[in-house]
Amino acid sequence: MQQRTAKADPQDELATRLRLLQELSGRGVRALARDTGLSSSSLSRYLSGQSVPPWPVVIELCRLVKRDPRPLRPLWDRATNPLPAPPKASRQVQPPSPPADVPRPPRNDLPRDVPDFTGRDDQLAAVLAAVRDNRVVAVDGMAGVGKTCLAVHAAHRLADEYPDAQLYLDLHGFTDGREPLDPDPALRALLAALDVPSEKIPQEGGLEPLAACWRSELAGRRAVVVLDNVASADQVRPLLPGAGASVALITSRNRLVGLEDVPPVSLDVLTPQESAELLARASGDPVGPDGRLARDPESAAEVLRLCGHLPLALRLAGARLRHRPGWTVGILVERMAEGASEFDTAFAMSVRQLDRAERRLFRLLGLLSGSSFDEYVAAALADVPLRSARAMLEDLLDAHLVQQPSAGRYTLHDLVHQHARRAAAEQDSQAEREQALGRVLDYYVYAAAAADAAMPYVSGSRAASAGRPPAELPQFTNKHAALYWFVTEYTNLMGAFEVAVATGADAHACELPRFMRAFFARRCGTTHLNVLFERSLAAAQRLGDPWQLAEAHSDLGFARYNAGRMAEAGAAYEAAAPLVSQAGDTRSEADLIMRRSHLRWDEGYVEEPLGLFRQAGRLYADAGCPMGAAHATADEAWAMLQLGRHEEAARLAREVLDTAHADPDWPAVLTARITLGVAITHEQPDEAAEHLHRALETAREDGHKHNEAWCLNCLGVALRQMGRYEEALVSHRQAFALLDELFEEHWKIHFLNGYAETCRLAGLPEEALRLHRQALELAPKVGNRHKEALAHEGIAAVLDETDPAAAAEHRAAAQAIREELEPGA
């Protein structure tokens, strides 16, 4: 009996050929599935002949074993379009297949549109507008920020407008374990998706004929194409549509600056409200009216923080809650706090595209503790030239590994920062990390010293000596630039100080607060400054350097004095005095004498502080510090004014203002203008008002609130002496409103008696009495005997007409204070 031969089934034959490719690859099903981006179950069906794989899968399998897929195309065509089997006699005849020229339904291989798509209203509108205006748009952003979700969502929205095909292709620009898909196989996959016959697809001539074929096929269709996960402009440029109506949506972790004509839409993290909504949708929990998860809102807020408002992180967190019904939100927080390992692979793929120097800088940026940084810090951290740091930061910015919240400032998303820190711990030695942090400490000390030098102060600070000066520092052209830098870098400076203390960098811990005194006077008050100088003194004691120890004691005394802690200030100055003498530094000695003279004056002494002012002026002159000498003269003039010796006060003040080297911004000039303005009020009221208003303008322009309050109070005194009581009261009240803003009650001791005297002469005796008594209560607390005596005298003046006996008692008390301090004076 003759045996009949059956013709081989094309689907089985294709499966046999695919199994041969698997054997050539030397991979098991799971490994092969992973390397091709397929699921193991799908690949098993293809290899067993249960189903026919899409043509791009065949291409990818051939690519893995470096075989040409073209010979398989006819077999694949037959497997996907099998001829009808001949009818059997025992069965009903099937209807014939449709003619070959009947078109297939339009291809739509867009991924599923995520059901929890949240927010992105503005970005979605921008994508749709860019598509309609330019036909191509590039969506970029960091890993996990939702680029693919947005592009796919937009493509689904556009599907009705582009009915001929809706295509999706993953170019694997940042897929772990895979090289980015080259344009050649990408174009062949796209052409296959359009059912372009293989005989029409160029097989020779390189990339350009293939790209031309793709553009030609698109030109006659209305198709929307999503090109996902693009590594570079060169990878995607040949895939863009040419003439015709078709559009393309590109996604990439990089800013594709090489596509000059393609409008970009950059994605940032979600807003807090959008983040709460997405977490709620992903977890199945409702959102309360306040926008927070109804279940355990406090823990849910911590989930949002740990996720950094990153959509991928929020979806993963929500999925954990949804699939673990026994978990509370608090348990989720505990698990998430253990680390962000889910994202390390994604971020690592973004980092891998960088060159070696950029990868090193990225890792080291993880060591920074502040919220933002600039290119100077980056250059110091990596020990590279500023120009190189700037170029590397631009590349990191284009890769969305760093963000730029404002011009010249950079920051890392929290999850990216964690990844960089972990990578540094794994790849850089402890010595390398310590050296990098040491360079950052050096930078902040020397940069703070440069900024301090641009901000006028009593006599200026010594040059920095801790560590090694960085190669490049910011240029501070004026005090405004310096103050802006201090404000911008404040949290980083405090972080550097904490690192210096924690790592035993005692020289840095000594010097950094010293260079911030002028800034603290303008912005931060005295409480924090005292804490810094306490710790700075401890560092100096560990160093054992006599000069550093002398400066630390003197600086702590200065902070104590400004906080109204007179006794402690005196003790600190006493401790500094022998050390300053031992160091033999004339300017440091002059600084200490100036500080002691202010303390002694406030303690109620007269002759001693006047002598100290003069001694300090001579020492400054000997040390070649003319502005220090001018400040000593200005302070002596102010003391003369308090004693009622107006002519001497005016003479000394004019001497300061007439100095050829006088800088209008220097504190000595401010003191001299205030002193002169009050001293000549009776004789030359117009000139007096001009000096006082210029002083007030300078203080305001300088941003020094304490000095502004001082100027306003003195202007009130001058207006009172001119008989302009209502204006004087307004000026005093403005001064006290400023002090209330500063929350530094002790500073009021300098202004209470003058304000009270204005109230008395303005016909407000009760108000005057209240203010003098407030001064009388405050003065002993801060150790200011001079103001205590003035308060007694002011109360006596108020009570002269109503209670002469009480007035006499207060005058006697004032005299007793003065006799106690300087007998016979």
Side-chain angles (χ1 to χ4, degrees):
M1 183 173 177
Q2 189 176 5
Q3 186 177 6
R4 241 178 7 166
T5 59
K7 192 171 183 179
D9 182 88
Q11 186 168 330
D12 292 338
E13 186 178 351
L14 178 62
T16 300
R17 301 287 290 274
L18 294 181
R19 288 195 295 272
L20 289 174
L21 294 177
Q22 180 195 2
E23 291 177 15
L24 287 172
S25 74
R27 295 170 171 86
V29 173
R30 288 188 179 180
L32 191 60
R34 182 188 65 243
D35 292 343
T36 54
L38 300 170
S39 68
S40 298
S41 59
S42 296
L43 183 59
S44 296
R45 290 196 302 272
Y46 301 152
L47 295 175
S48 64
Q50 296 177 42
S51 60
V52 178
W55 178 243
V57 171
V58 178
I59 293 174
E60 186 61 20
L61 289 168
C62 291
R63 186 191 68 80
L64 281 176
V65 296
K66 297 181 170 55
R67 292 291 188 272
D68 187 354
R70 287 174 290 184
L72 292 177
R73 183 58 190 249
L75 179 59
W76 181 85
D77 287 337
R78 291 200 307 274
T80 52
N81 298 280
L83 294 174
K88 292 184 178 180
S90 59
R91 293 184 181 178
Q92 184 178 356
V93 176
Q94 299 294 323
S97 298
D101 59 349
V102 174
R104 291 187 183 185
R107 178 69 172 259
N108 185 333
D109 54 12
L110 292 177
R112 174 171 173 259
D113 194 6
V114 292
D116 59 9
F117 188 85
T118 303
R120 304 297 194 199
D121 294 340
D122 293 343
Q123 294 83 0
L124 178 60
V127 167
L128 296 176
V131 165
R132 293 185 176 106
D133 293 342
N134 297 82
R135 298 178 44 241
V136 182
V137 64
V139 180
D140 59 67
M142 66 185 293
V145 81
K147 304 177 293 296
T148 300
C149 283
L150 176 62
V152 169
H153 184 70
H156 279 284
R157 290 276 296 269
L158 293 166
D160 291 342
E161 298 179 45
Y162 298 90
D164 296 336
Q166 298 87 40
L167 306 182
Y168 171 87
L169 182 64
D170 186 347
L171 296 178
H172 298 294
F174 301 91
T175 302
D176 187 31
R178 292 194 57 168
E179 292 296 320
L181 188 63
D182 289 334
D184 185 292
L187 284 166
R188 294 185 186 280
L190 290 168
L191 287 166
L194 289 179
D195 288 330
V196 178
S198 57
E199 59 271 19
K200 288 184 62 176
I201 300 175
Q203 305 300 328
E204 298 178 355
L207 185 63
E208 186 50 42
L210 201 58
C213 177
W214 164 245
R215 292 192 297 269
S216 175
E217 289 295 332
L218 282 184
R221 312 174 193 241
R222 293 185 61 84
V224 57
V225 184
V226 177
L227 302 170
D228 192 23
N229 204 6
V230 172
S232 66
D234 290 339
Q235 183 193 24
V236 76
R237 188 178 289 109
L239 280 58
L240 300 183
S246 294
V247 299
L249 289 78
I250 305 167
T251 77
S252 178
R253 295 187 194 178
N254 292 333
R255 290 177 175 166
L256 302 177
V257 293
L259 300 179
E260 300 90 349
D261 298 330
V262 176
V265 174
S266 295
L267 296 191
D268 201 347
V269 296
L270 297 174
T271 66
Q273 177 66 31
E274 292 169 343
S275 299
E277 291 177 7
L278 178 54
L279 180 61
R281 292 177 179 177
S283 65
D285 275 8
V287 178
D290 58 354
R292 303 163 75 181
L293 256 67
R295 175 168 55 141
D296 195 355
E298 296 300 326
S299 295
E302 181 63 9
V303 171
L304 299 184
R305 189 192 69 79
L306 290 171
C307 290
H309 304 291
L310 196 65
L312 174 61
L314 291 164
R315 286 195 171 93
L316 287 173
R320 284 185 173 185
L321 283 178
R322 182 185 288 273
H323 295 291
R324 292 168 175 81
W327 275 22
T328 65
V329 185
I331 292 175
L332 176 62
V333 169
E334 292 174 5
R335 299 297 174 87
M336 292 180 66
E338 295 172 0
S341 58
E342 295 92 340
F343 312 104
D344 283 343
T345 299
F347 294 141
M349 290 304 301
S350 293
V351 175
R352 194 174 299 173
Q353 67 179 311
L354 307 173
D355 64 32
R356 183 177 180 181
E358 291 169 342
R359 291 197 298 271
R360 175 176 173 267
L361 173 61
F362 172 72
R363 295 193 305 270
L364 294 179
L365 289 174
L367 303 178
L368 297 177
S369 58
S371 58
S372 67
F373 57 92
D374 64 10
E375 57 198 28
Y376 289 95
V377 177
L381 182 71
D383 197 20
V384 297
L386 182 65
R387 179 179 297 179
S388 299
R390 185 182 298 127
M392 286 192 284
L393 286 172
E394 287 298 315
D395 287 341
L396 291 174
L397 188 65
D398 287 341
H400 287 283
L401 287 167
V402 302
Q403 298 165 310
Q404 193 172 41
S406 60
R409 303 297 300 181
Y410 300 89
T411 187
L412 274 69
H413 185 277
D414 287 347
L415 294 177
V416 176
H417 186 269
Q418 292 171 18
H419 175 75
R421 181 178 286 271
R422 280 194 293 271
E426 293 169 0
Q427 301 177 43
D428 300 304
S429 69
Q430 182 175 348
E432 289 173 319
R433 299 196 304 272
E434 289 176 352
Q435 290 167 4
L437 284 176
R439 291 191 295 269
V440 172
L441 293 183
D442 291 348
Y443 167 76
Y444 275 119
V445 168
Y446 282 87
D452 180 60
M455 298 180 69
Y457 203 58
V458 175
S459 60
S461 300
R462 278 174 167 267
S465 61
R468 181 169 60 94
E472 296 180 78
L473 289 170
Q475 298 299 309
F476 302 108
T477 54
N478 53 46
K479 65 182 180 184
H480 303 293
L483 182 60
Y484 178 79
W485 183 85
F486 272 121
V487 171
T488 303
E489 293 284 358
Y490 176 72
T491 55
N492 291 333
L493 289 163
M494 292 300 97
F497 180 81
E498 294 297 336
V499 169
V501 172
T503 59
D506 290 328
H508 299 77
C510 282
E511 293 190 1
L512 191 55
R514 192 170 302 147
F515 296 126
M516 296 183 68
R517 291 175 307 185
F519 167 67
F520 267 86
R522 287 161 174 80
R523 284 291 186 273
C524 301
T526 58
T527 302
H528 195 184
L529 189 62
N530 271 269
V531 174
L532 285 181
F533 278 132
E534 287 169 8
R535 301 172 73 185
S536 180
L537 174 59
Q541 289 169 335
R542 290 191 295 269
L543 280 176
D545 181 286
W547 182 82
Q548 289 280 25
L549 196 55
E551 289 289 288
H553 276 296
S554 180
D555 286 340
L556 181 58
F558 173 79
R560 296 286 196 245
Y561 169 79
N562 278 283
R565 298 159 66 174
M566 302 300 186
E568 294 173 80
Y573 290 155
E574 288 301 317
L579 293 166
V580 169
S581 297
Q582 179 183 345
D585 185 271
T586 304
R587 201 172 83 180
S588 294
E589 185 179 358
D591 287 343
L592 180 59
I593 289 172
M594 279 285 286
R595 291 171 173 179
R596 290 180 60 209
S597 60
H598 288 115
L599 174 65
R600 298 299 280 171
W601 176 266
D602 285 351
E603 287 176 336
Y605 297 94
V606 175
E607 294 304 325
E608 181 185 0
L610 287 175
L612 290 173
F613 283 133
R614 294 163 188 152
Q615 181 185 356
R618 291 192 296 271
L619 288 173
Y620 280 130
D622 293 342
C625 183
M627 293 313 296
H631 201 96
T633 302
D635 284 355
E636 182 186 354
W638 173 253
M640 290 293 187
L641 179 66
Q642 308 311 298
L643 295 173
R645 293 153 66 171
H646 287 194
E647 288 186 8
E648 291 177 77
R651 178 181 60 79
L652 291 171
R654 290 190 189 280
E655 182 180 317
V656 172
L657 295 176
D658 291 342
T659 304
H661 58 252
D663 182 337
D665 288 336
W666 205 263
V669 175
L670 182 77
T671 302
R673 287 203 183 281
I674 293 172
T675 301
L676 184 59
V678 177
I680 64 174
T681 298
H682 292 299
E683 296 80 9
Q684 297 164 284
D686 291 340
E687 183 186 352
E690 179 185 353
H691 283 299
L692 289 166
H693 282 292
R694 287 182 64 181
L696 178 59
E697 181 182 346
T698 298
R700 283 174 171 165
E701 192 256 350
D702 191 27
H704 198 313
K705 297 293 184 182
H706 296 85
N707 279 347
E708 183 180 349
W710 182 30
C711 291
L712 286 166
N713 187 69
C714 292
L715 179 59
V717 171
L719 290 168
R720 174 230 299 163
Q721 292 177 356
M722 297 177 192
R724 296 157 61 178
Y725 298 129
E726 290 303 319
E727 294 174 71
L729 289 171
V730 169
S731 191
H732 285 300
R733 288 165 185 155
Q734 289 175 347
F736 275 79
L738 278 176
L739 294 180
D740 287 335
E741 290 178 17
L742 295 169
F743 297 102
E744 297 207 315
E745 199 70 18
H746 62 276
W747 264 81
K748 292 182 179 179
I749 192 61
H750 300 293
F751 309 145
L752 281 166
N753 289 312
Y755 184 10
E757 178 67 4
T758 300
C759 288
R760 182 180 72 84
L761 294 175
L764 302 171
E766 293 301 322
E767 182 67 7
L769 200 58
R770 183 187 67 80
L771 293 169
H772 280 309
R773 284 176 174 158
Q774 188 177 341
L776 191 59
E777 179 182 358
L778 181 58
K781 293 179 181 178
V782 298
N784 196 318
R785 303 300 303 282
H786 175 62
K787 300 298 184 185
E788 184 180 355
L790 288 178
H792 279 298
E793 291 169 350
I795 292 173
V798 175
L799 296 177
D800 272 338
E801 294 184 5
T802 59
D803 193 345
E809 290 178 8
H810 280 285
R811 282 201 176 85
Q815 185 61 30
I817 292 172
R818 300 194 188 285
E819 287 287 344
E820 175 191 341
L821 294 171
E822 293 184 321

